[in-house]
Amino acid sequence: CVVFNYFENDTLVLQKFRDENKHFASTTNCEQIPYNINSALGKECVIVTEGEFDTLAFLTAGADSVVSLPNGANKNLECFNRFYDSHFADKKKVYVATDMDTPGEKAAQEIIRRFGPEVCFRVRFAEDCKDANEQLVKHGAESLMDCIANAQPAPITDIVGVEDIEQQLDEIYQNGFTPGIQTGWHNLDVTRLSFATKQLAII
């Protein structure tokens, strides 16, 4: 079988085993950390993959900062929590290179949510490839690095321009704020304090 060694600095934290029939096992009672986490330290950019073979594919193609989720396309990404400040907070670009299937897309969205869409770029592979390893095997190292070069910025949602709320602003200017839900406590309600969604009430 193949043994994947998960190091943090010089300390061996976890070992995962895989045989030719895709049977998996790992050492027990060990912390789940990102694979190849040392490579992300002090780099401006990092590639996040879904598995060890995909990380090795990018390393083979010439990338030098690549990490992998320890448990595949799992929405539980607590493995990043302890390393965020030290390994990821300084990143200018996070390339999200999970698989091109439904679990991979869900994992990608969770990674983007966690690190912020302003720094994330979604990596897409060729139509005949599910992941980075297939891209390398079928189309070569240059093609795989082209996927990084052509990665698209993650869409930033919930940005509102003045033109989007112009009519609402006019209504507030002309009529004042629409009363929201009152508390039932006279001393608060008499001050015309009320609560509505998407409004901040400071008491």
Side-chain angles (χ1 to χ4, degrees):
C1 67
V2 177
V3 182
F4 295 103
N5 294 310
Y6 282 63
F7 281 95
E8 180 184 355
N9 298 319
D10 295 326
T11 302
L12 181 61
V13 176
L14 170 71
Q15 286 182 304
K16 288 182 64 178
F17 311 90
R18 170 175 167 162
D19 68 13
E20 61 183 348
N21 297 316
K22 294 188 177 182
H23 295 144
F24 293 91
S26 64
T27 48
T28 57
N29 300 320
C30 297
E31 182 185 4
Q32 299 288 315
I33 68 172
Y35 178 63
N36 201 39
I37 187 64
N38 291 342
S39 72
L41 189 62
K43 304 290 177 58
E44 290 187 352
C45 306
V46 66
I47 302 169
V48 180
T49 74
E50 192 174 315
E52 298 91 350
F53 279 111
D54 297 325
T55 292
L56 295 175
F58 277 112
L59 293 173
T60 299
D64 63 354
S65 179
V66 193
V67 302
S68 167
L69 305 178
N71 292 312
N74 189 330
K75 287 189 69 176
N76 185 356
L77 301 183
E78 292 181 0
C79 63
F80 287 112
N81 289 356
R82 186 165 64 83
F83 298 98
Y84 183 77
D85 289 339
S86 58
H87 290 68
F88 297 101
D90 60 347
K91 296 295 176 278
K92 294 183 178 179
K93 292 183 178 180
V94 175
Y95 292 100
V96 184
T98 52
D99 291 4
M100 299 281 89
D101 55 15
T102 300
E105 287 293 345
K106 289 181 179 179
Q109 292 307 310
E110 180 61 15
I111 293 169
I112 292 169
R113 185 197 68 79
R114 181 170 292 259
F115 290 107
E118 66 277 4
V119 298
C120 287
F121 292 75
R122 183 63 169 111
V123 179
R124 302 287 179 184
F125 304 110
E127 291 185 4
D128 60 341
C129 299
K130 185 185 79 168
D131 55 32
N133 191 48
E134 283 193 8
Q135 184 80 33
L136 175 66
V137 171
K138 292 181 178 179
H139 302 288
E142 184 176 350
S143 171
L144 181 56
M145 295 309 293
D146 283 344
C147 294
I148 295 296
N150 296 322
Q152 295 299 307
I156 300 178
T157 59
D158 299 327
I159 293 180
V160 179
V162 173
E163 64 279 1
D164 299 317
I165 59 172
E166 186 173 5
Q167 183 177 352
Q168 298 174 40
L169 292 175
D170 288 342
E171 291 177 0
I172 292 172
Y173 177 76
Q174 294 170 5
N175 305 316
F177 284 104
T178 302
I181 297 174
Q182 294 194 323
T183 65
W185 294 325
H186 176 72
N187 287 350
L188 287 178
D189 295 342
V190 74
T191 64
R192 301 186 66 185
L193 176 67
S194 60
F195 296 88
T197 57
K198 299 185 179 179
Q199 289 185 5
L200 174 65
I202 299 177
I203 304 173

